[in-house]
Amino acid sequence: MTSHDPAPFDLVLKSRRVVLPDGVRAAAIAIAGGRIAAVLDPSAVPQGVRTIDAGDRVIMPGLVDTHAHVNEPGRTEWEGFETATRACAAGGITTVVDMPLNSIPVTTTRAALEEKRRASAGKTWVDHGFWGGVVPGNERELEPLVEAGALGFKAFLVHSGIDDFPMAEEGDLRRAMPILARLGVPLLVHAELEGEAPEAAGDPRSYATYLASRPPAWEERAVRRMVELCRTFGGPVHVVHLSAAGALDDVASARAEGLPFSIETCPHYLLLAAEEVPEGHTEYKCAPPIRERDNRERLWKALVSGAIDLVVSDHSPCTPRLKLPDEGDFLRAWGGIASLQLGLSLIWTEASQRGATLSDLARWMCEAPARLAGLSHKKGRIAPGLDADLVVWDPDATFVVEPSILRHRHKVTPYLGRTLRGEVKTTILRGQTVYEDGVVRDEPLGVPLLGRGA
């Protein structure tokens, strides 16, 4: 290449630890036009190309979080596209998929999805997609929602917490699932089926009282129901935020049959334990609940073995007053844990002590979520042709979770004061830096991802 030749790439990032689909090694990632143009040996970078050497810092695909409640429009005081996606950028997340409830209107019609797209325009710092919802009576909206860009659908088998997103009975699922199977989109299920549970007795400030009100048998029954329906209709089924390890045997059986059945869990089920929840600290409340230590260890074993496919945040914030901090009433407080920005560090803090690898982390938090959302052709891996979405981070650096570093709208989270390992340094979206050394870029560069394969 002479001095007059145009540079073949816009930028090259290199490191001694690049997480590639076939392992971790020294490599140089060449970027052109917002995409990965090539993965090179570091010694093969052409002269004259702008190059950033990350040294020993890890370069990994940008995280894909397919379970976040952004709540805009309608409940933007809980969260919103601007604050949520700024938190994503600071946490190394380059793609986020918004859940269909807690916004007003809920995303159960094509018109509602189009309203959500308008609400997000010009307010997003990372790329973003949308799940639609399956609720009683909206089966005629499912195909129009897919045509409008919905990546798949969420259903609740138990009360969702808000009346405008009612739970789907078995008959509703039997009407919806053949349509979703034909369209080739997944059904995501909040898998709790109410059954016998103790009456709400005991001190409402005690976490044990709340835990007893949602026993693991609810999740186990729900997973069995969904395995049966998956067997009947054949379309992909995905269980969100599994907390009860006792349901894993049924999932294993389903997979052994070859059923398209996948499962996720969340940082709060992998880091926290029921025995450690302080009295009255309702920032720990979520549904399904955080369970006991031995259950947590079984979840970790399942994750490391591949029995659990992916880890996502289930970022479900609300205004601080809805957590009833003065009363500390676990039965009446809003359920949901805010952790969107912290996922990479939360999981690495524990995974690194359990023998898990950087490749495991990328599989759980990048590759598998991208596959669930139908975005594997552009997100979730470092490979030529995919979007140049990257996170540069220091797996050995530690930091303390302080309110001042959080970009979420509200700073209510059970992780305040906790020391975490693994610090995000730079987040790159389609070849452009959106976060670096504590600073989020001024200009929002995120675009909507409308439709699987789009």
Side-chain angles (χ1 to χ4, degrees):
M1 185 174 73
T2 71
S3 60
H4 302 291
D5 292 331
F9 309 122
D10 303 325
L11 174 66
V12 171
L13 267 75
K14 65 180 182 178
S15 166
R16 285 183 282 276
R17 291 190 284 184
V18 178
V19 186
L20 299 169
D22 60 353
V24 181
R25 65 174 187 269
I29 305 162
I31 298 169
R35 293 187 178 180
I36 298 168
V39 178
L40 308 170
D41 184 278
S43 63
V45 177
Q47 292 185 353
V49 177
R50 185 164 74 96
T51 302
I52 298 173
D53 189 347
D56 280 325
R57 289 179 176 175
V58 170
I59 303 179
M60 201 166 79
L63 272 63
V64 178
D65 192 332
T66 52
H67 195 148
H69 296 267
V70 178
N71 307 330
E72 186 176 1
R75 289 191 174 94
T76 312
E77 71 274 15
W78 292 21
E79 189 65 277
F81 284 104
E82 181 175 348
T83 50
T85 59
R86 281 177 171 268
C88 286
I93 298 166
T94 50
T95 301
V96 64
V97 187
D98 178 42
M99 280 293 170
L101 71 159
N102 298 347
S103 55
I104 303 173
V106 292
T107 318
T108 55
T109 66
R110 179 173 187 147
L113 177 55
E114 289 171 348
E115 187 170 344
K116 184 163 287 241
R117 285 171 52 192
R118 288 192 294 271
S120 68
K123 297 180 183 176
T124 59
W125 270 257
V126 301
D127 291 350
H128 51 284
F130 307 97
W131 299 119
V134 169
V135 295
N138 84 324
E139 57 268 14
R140 291 186 178 179
E141 288 283 351
L142 303 180
E143 189 160 2
L145 274 161
V146 170
E147 291 169 352
L151 300 174
F153 292 85
K154 169 80 172 288
F156 275 75
L157 306 189
V158 69
H159 191 277
S160 70
I162 58 171
D163 292 336
D164 49 351
F165 198 100
M167 61 184 279
E169 303 281 359
E170 183 170 349
D172 303 312
L173 296 175
R174 286 183 174 275
R175 285 184 288 275
M177 290 179 73
I179 300 170
L180 304 188
R182 174 172 58 81
L183 296 171
V185 297
L187 175 65
L188 285 64
V189 183
H190 179 124
E192 287 182 288
L193 265 179
E194 285 193 57
E196 298 227 354
E199 290 294 323
D203 182 359
R205 289 178 53 82
S206 168
Y207 185 73
T209 301
Y210 172 64
L211 179 62
S213 74
R214 299 183 90 116
W218 287 17
E219 288 189 81
E220 293 160 8
R221 290 177 62 236
V223 167
R224 282 194 292 274
R225 167 83 53 88
M226 294 315 305
V227 168
E228 292 167 4
L229 291 171
C230 182
R231 185 181 294 120
T232 299
F233 297 108
V237 171
H238 178 77
V239 171
V240 299
H241 53 45
L242 183 82
S243 80
L248 290 166
D249 287 345
D250 285 306
V251 176
S253 297
R255 295 204 219 216
E257 290 180 45
L259 297 181
F261 205 98
S262 57
I263 200 158
E264 73 186 40
T265 194
C266 305
H268 37 281
Y269 302 128
L270 295 168
L271 272 83
L272 308 176
E275 299 93 333
E276 300 163 7
V277 178
E279 182 177 285
H281 279 253
T282 52
E283 66 270 25
Y284 287 80
K285 180 181 177 179
C286 59
I290 296 159
R291 303 197 187 276
E292 298 85 353
R293 287 189 198 97
D294 64 336
N295 183 85
R296 178 183 67 191
E297 296 311 306
R298 291 170 68 193
L299 291 178
W300 267 110
K301 287 179 182 176
L303 180 63
V304 171
S305 73
I308 293 175
D309 298 275
L310 56 109
V311 180
V312 286
S313 68
D314 187 15
H315 177 67
S316 187
C318 64
T319 56
R321 64 180 180 81
L322 290 177
K323 283 292 188 181
L324 306 179
D326 295 332
E327 299 172 44
D329 186 329
F330 279 103
L331 298 177
R332 293 178 51 243
W334 179 264
I337 288 179
S339 67
L340 188 58
Q341 180 178 332
L342 302 173
L344 174 61
S345 304
L346 289 168
I347 296 303
W348 181 245
T349 298
E350 287 294 317
S352 60
Q353 298 177 30
R354 295 167 181 271
T357 66
L358 294 168
S359 293
D360 291 330
L361 196 69
R363 186 176 71 253
W364 302 334
M365 305 188 79
C366 309
E367 186 173 353
R371 185 167 57 248
L372 173 67
L375 300 172
S376 292
H377 62 294
K378 64 194 313 179
K379 306 290 186 183
R381 291 172 295 129
I382 297 176
L386 274 67
D387 287 351
D389 292 357
L390 305 165
V391 55
V392 182
W393 61 288
D394 184 343
D396 302 312
T398 61
F399 66 96
V400 178
V401 180
E402 302 282 2
S404 61
I405 70 171
L406 296 176
R407 311 286 173 156
H408 316 143
R409 186 175 296 278
H410 303 293
K411 316 306 180 188
V412 178
T413 176
Y415 302 112
L416 288 179
R418 187 176 286 242
T419 299
L420 300 182
R421 184 168 178 238
E423 187 173 22
V424 173
K425 299 297 186 180
T426 306
T427 304
I428 294 169
L429 177 69
R430 286 178 279 104
Q432 299 191 66
T433 299
V434 292
Y435 171 85
E436 189 163 33
D437 294 332
V439 177
V440 177
R441 182 189 181 108
D442 289 339
E443 179 189 0
L445 298 179
V447 299
L449 302 167
L450 300 174
R452 302 171 71 84

